[in-house]
Amino acid sequence: MLLTFNSFRHHIPRATRAALAILIPGIIGYLLGFGSELLLVSAGAVLLINGENKPYRERWKSLLRYGLLFTSLTLGFRLLGIWSHSHGQMDFSEGIGGVIANPRGALIAYLPLMLFLAVCVVCVYVTMCLRLTPPGPYLMLFVTGGLMVNKISISLSATLIWSIIGAVSGFIISMSGWLVDKHGPERKAVEDAEAAVADYLEARTKEAPAEYESLKLTAAGAIHRAWSMLAHAGAIHGGAITPEARGTKSEELVHRMLSAQHRWATADPDAQAQRHSPSDRRTIPLASPGAWAKLKRQWHRDSHPMVTAQRVALAGLGVSILSTVLGLGRPDWAITSVMLLLGQGPYRMAGTVRCIHRIAGSVIGILLYLAFYQLHPGILMDLIGLAVAMACTELFIAANYGLAMVFTAPLGLMMAGLGSAPIGQTAMDRGAELVIASLLSVLAIWLFRPNNLQKTAELNYAYLLTSIKKMIASLRTSPIDDAILDRRELRYELNESRTVTNACANESYEWRQEQWDHHAAAQLVAHEVLRVGATAAHSDLDKVPGGDVEKLAALYGKLAPASL
């Protein structure tokens, strides 16, 4: 896990566009005589990275949403910084002595900081519930938090204007490909899925189980992303090709995906026999439930997003207090470090490895930052350095987390450089905050509700049983076309159950021995219910035959009852 290095060749165009989103408006502003406020054009790269995983049909909407979010965060944190500094907040670098000497100033300083922590916690919960692709809102919070703490000479109007300029630049560059190939993103996703399936099938011929099991999961992820891309592109809906896509390139892409999915599903004869990968995988998968349904579904004390948000809140509060007591100067940096470490909901072993990656990569990144500023760069070199750091972060985030951190650290430090602290002191303080944040994150994963993963599995088991029962009742009494929402809900619950039970099995040998069988049995029944429903829907039947429904009900009756 520490040394895993994945291919990053597919990220090269995205990384190039991220750099251009900074350089183009930045260099124009530099030639017009502007100063350090030019670094705020990093908004363009942040927006562009978040919009790259969507087809153009949906990308512009995503870019507008993230643009509004980034501008709001920039303006809001800048206003909080102006307010707190004008009301006599203490300087966080004063440490415990400053808190004792100026308790009112400490309280004023902590009010915006706790609001920032609350925003981070909410973002973690929403990101995990909706399974947003990285970096999501995290990178925005990472580069804007310093506007609240640092004493910055940039005016409020300049902050707003250059953030908007960066957002507009990122929007234009990200959407520019539409002029050349309107279906480029979804076509590329289908090609990636086909290549991943081909790699998996080739590995099977070499009889290397360790390798092809990993490639099987990689191919499954690529297939899921391709179907999601086609759904967002309007090519499929409700398990069928949409009328507007028929006779177009989009329909061809759908048929290519059906073929790739079938090759992947039928490659494993053992799984085929157990109906883990049935041969009727020539069906188009249903989309996930809507955003609001996912947020409501996870609103439970034992859900993984909820527990992860609680861990971020506790570790963030602890690291902000330690940063203040030790006089490190940027508790917001410490909070965002916790958010970046815990925000994807890592489990114990994966989370520990992630923290090691974070420390090692960031230490190297801080050394690079110090070496860069030994050259005494001006604004133009700052812009180039910022563009390179953003591009490399995007390039390596999929290859190796630790390597990506080598460039994420300078990225945040350059934005921190908008303040007036000495370069060397800034780097040392950020490094210390990072180590503290990493240690507290590991403690949060291992000590705060350490057995919650098993509780989440049981919660998901209960949800899955409820969804199976609801689906069987729908098949018994309603036309198959009316059961599409129940089919979609059951597919979502099945995926949630599989994700968590696999994690539990990896985390605990005892759990795997004692609990795996009844979870796997429920998942097989859910899969059979979905298979029967899909077969009826694609056979143009009005209803599922009564005998099939009763067989499903009998299978459901054999399942162990939920403990929650």
Side-chain angles (χ1 to χ4, degrees), residues 268-476:
D268 188 346
D270 295 331
Q272 172 75 16
Q274 298 174 28
R275 293 199 181 277
H276 281 136
S277 302
S279 59
D280 60 3
R281 278 297 185 96
R282 289 186 180 276
T283 58
I284 299 171
L286 298 172
S288 298
W292 182 243
K294 291 180 181 179
L295 291 172
K296 288 174 60 180
R297 191 277 190 205
Q298 300 289 359
W299 189 256
H300 188 283
R301 68 181 299 271
D302 289 325
S303 74
H304 192 49
M306 181 66 75
V307 173
T308 300
Q310 293 170 357
R311 287 171 175 165
V312 171
L314 289 175
L317 178 62
V319 77
S320 67
I321 293 174
L322 287 174
S323 175
T324 302
V325 169
L326 297 175
L328 299 178
R330 284 286 304 278
D332 66 289
W333 170 283
I335 290 172
T336 53
S337 295
V338 168
M339 178 186 66
L340 290 171
L341 288 166
L342 300 178
Q344 296 299 324
Y347 304 113
R348 287 181 293 188
M349 292 305 300
T352 303
V353 171
R354 192 178 182 90
C355 288
I356 296 173
H357 272 154
R358 176 78 173 161
I359 293 174
S362 296
V363 167
I364 297 173
I366 290 172
L367 294 176
L368 285 178
Y369 171 81
L370 290 173
F372 178 72
Y373 275 94
Q374 292 302 310
L375 304 175
H376 303 288
I379 294 299
L380 181 59
M381 286 299 294
D382 277 347
L383 276 172
I384 295 174
L386 187 65
V388 170
M390 186 71 77
C392 290
T393 297
E394 167 60 20
L395 191 63
F396 295 119
I397 192 67
N400 182 276
Y401 183 77
L403 186 57
M405 291 305 100
V406 172
F407 300 99
T408 301
L411 177 66
L413 287 168
M414 287 178 183
M415 299 304 296
L418 291 171
S420 56
I423 298 297
Q425 187 64 43
T426 297
M428 294 298 294
D429 289 348
R430 299 303 78 76
E433 285 170 335
L434 172 66
V435 172
I436 295 172
S438 299
L439 293 175
L440 287 184
S441 296
V442 171
L443 291 176
I445 294 172
W446 284 87
L447 299 181
F448 179 74
R449 303 185 67 181
N451 297 320
N452 183 75
L453 187 59
Q454 288 82 357
K455 292 183 179 179
T456 303
E458 292 307 316
L459 174 66
N460 287 349
Y461 182 78
Y463 278 133
L464 183 60
L465 291 188
T466 301
S467 188
I468 293 173
K469 183 178 181 181
K470 183 179 177 182
M471 179 70 186
I472 293 174
S474 179
L475 294 178
R476 180 181 282 126

Side-chain angles (χ1 to χ4, degrees), residues 218-235:
T218 301
I223 290 171
H224 174 75
R225 287 189 294 272
W227 281 125
S228 178
M229 190 75 78
L230 289 170
H232 285 300

